[in-house]
Amino acid sequence: MTTITMPVGIGPKSRNLPSDVKAVQEILNRVSIADGGPSVPLKVDGIVGPKTSGAIEKFQLKQFGRAGADGRLDPSGQTLARLNQLATPTTPVVPPGPSMVRAVETAQSTIKTFVDNDYTDFF
C-alpha cells in the first residue's frame, strides 16, 4: 500500500516532497490506461511537472468526474485510496485442480519409467 506524508499535485496546499511525489508517480504507473493511468509511464523523479500533474488529473477525471478532479492527492484522500485499490492485485491464487494434478503425476511417472529402464536412446 502506498502512503504519502503531505499533499502532492497542484495548488497552494501541495507540498510535493520528493519522496511523496515518487510514491505517487510509481503508483500511477501501476494503474491501467483503462482505469485512468498514464498512457506513457511517468518518469519517477520526484518532481511534479506537467506530465505528473496531468496524470493525476486524468486519473481523477476517470475515477471521480470533473467534481472530484482537483489535481491533488491528500494522504488520507479518496484519490490515493482509489489508486491503492487499483494498483494492488486482488486476484486470488487458485490451487491446481484435479486434472492438473493428474497430468503432473502422469508426466512424473513417464519420466521415472524412462529413467528406471535406462531408455537412453530416447534422449
Side-chain angles (χ1 to χ4, degrees):
M1 175 186 276
T2 297
T3 60
I4 56 175
T5 58
M6 300 297 288
V8 170
I10 57 173
K13 293 183 181 180
S14 298
R15 296 293 300 271
N16 296 325
L17 300 176
S19 60
D20 288 341
V21 175
K22 285 180 183 180
V24 168
Q25 290 167 330
E26 287 173 356
I27 197 168
L28 281 166
N29 283 339
R30 294 196 325 254
V31 174
S32 73
I33 295 170
D35 287 328
S39 49
V40 176
L42 298 171
K43 182 178 180 183
V44 180
D45 59 6
I47 300 169
V48 177
K51 291 179 183 176
T52 298
S53 61
I56 292 169
E57 186 172 2
K58 176 186 172 193
F59 177 79
Q60 289 176 325
L61 285 169
K62 178 71 176 178
Q63 295 299 314
F64 312 116
R66 176 72 48 202
D70 62 2
R72 189 180 77 232
L73 280 85
D74 294 309
S76 59
Q78 69 175 355
T79 303
L80 187 57
R82 187 70 178 137
L83 279 168
N84 277 315
Q85 288 175 345
L86 293 173
T88 304
T90 58
T91 306
V93 176
V94 178
S99 61
M100 178 58 88
V101 171
R102 278 194 301 278
V104 170
E105 288 170 348
T106 301
Q108 290 171 333
S109 176
T110 303
I111 292 169
K112 184 174 181 344
T113 300
F114 277 100
V115 171
D116 289 349
N117 293 306
D118 196 28
Y119 293 142
T120 55
D121 57 332
F122 288 99
F123 296 101

